[in-house]
Amino acid sequence: GGPPDVVTVGGIGLGGAVVFVAGPVAEWLLAPFLVVAACVLWMSVRPSVFLARAVFFGAVALGILAGSPDAIGFGAALALGLAVALPEVEPLALAGLPLLAVSLVMRLPSVLDAETARAIGWLIVAIGAVAMPASGLVAARADRLGAVARASAVGIAALALTGAGLAMTGAMPDAGWAIAREAVGAVAFGPPALALAAAILREATGTDGLDWLGGLARGMPVFASCLLAGCFAVAFLPPGPGFAALRSLIVASVGAAGGLRLPLALVAVAASVFAALSAFAALRGFVFVCLGRPRSLRAAAAEEIGSRARDGLILLAFSVLVAGLADGADVYRPAVLATGLARWAFATP
């Protein structure tokens, strides 16, 4: 709670100084991304891939810590450009870009008047209510695991932004930010885990197409277990962070005032439809990849992944489970400490 701390770094940027916001809000946005980035960077064996992902991580971190919406927008534009130009950063992009969007929305009330902020908040809610079921439908119809990861990232990001938009409108001043925070945990861990799994599948079998896989739980049991954890993160099943966000939205909608009950009920229905479709897509993806008979020779001959990729994927899967079972503040405590140390290092007398 409380306003974020503002740290001024002198001698950087066109204006001679860059203002960073490294208080509680920035920390709970950045902390899960630090955990995911550590796993992804550890798995990056090739120097070129490691460098590309490290640069992308820096762009996202600076965007989240930026103290104004225009600086966040610049960081988001830079990160988006890197994501388009460098396909190897996709696992980080599926977490980083939604976190930047949430960070931008959370800064808007500080620079807008109340009426404008309320109008923009309802616009965000309307877009989110359409984007959630649409992305769930795309995920349920996807024939590649990578496509499931991307559609899930869009849908969960829409849920987080919907929560933030409801807070901006004043309809859910407290519950809206809680929904956004809980959805951040789901989008930070689930889609990157699926994207990493898709990349490993392409390396091990030549494809992440669901119709060409199957039976990998026999030859790649560790990979199958980690994929199950990633599917759990995007399936909105209890006690995952996605389920917590959905539950908070439904509870707040039921207790809403009379005039807001109908629009909030429609938002809750859209989120519930997305959750159901996302759960179906996650279950379908795991079954098609890991269970049944192999549907290609390369899938039948696939072997367990290398040690570094295995260790990184195990740590990410473990983070998914811990984020769902424990309080977010405790889960991210080491990462929050890291952001605190960075704030201290950048502080000027």
Side-chain angles (χ1 to χ4, degrees), residues 229-252:
C231 291
F232 165 77
V234 302
F236 286 84
L237 297 175
F243 175 79
L246 178 64
R247 179 190 58 194
S248 298
L249 177 58
I250 293 175
V251 170

Side-chain angles (χ1 to χ4, degrees), residues 225-337:
S225 301
C226 295
L227 177 60
L228 182 61
C231 291
F232 165 77
V234 302
F236 286 84
L237 297 175
F243 175 79
L246 178 64
R247 179 190 58 194
S248 298
L249 177 58
I250 293 175
V251 170
S253 300
V254 170
L260 296 173
R261 190 165 297 167
L262 179 59
L264 294 185
L266 293 176
V267 173
V269 168
S272 300
V273 170
F274 164 63
L277 291 172
S278 185
F280 170 79
L283 178 61
R284 172 174 173 265
F286 179 79
V287 169
F288 273 57
V289 171
C290 297
L291 303 182
R293 293 177 177 271
R295 290 180 289 277
S296 68
L297 292 177
R298 293 195 64 176
E303 297 180 351
E304 198 59 84
I305 54 181
S307 59
R308 288 191 63 169
R310 182 186 65 240
D311 295 343
L313 200 58
I314 289 174
L315 180 58
L316 185 56
F318 178 76
S319 301
V320 168
L321 297 177
V322 172
L325 295 172
D327 178 38
D330 295 330
V331 173
Y332 306 142
R333 188 62 58 192
V336 169
L337 177 61

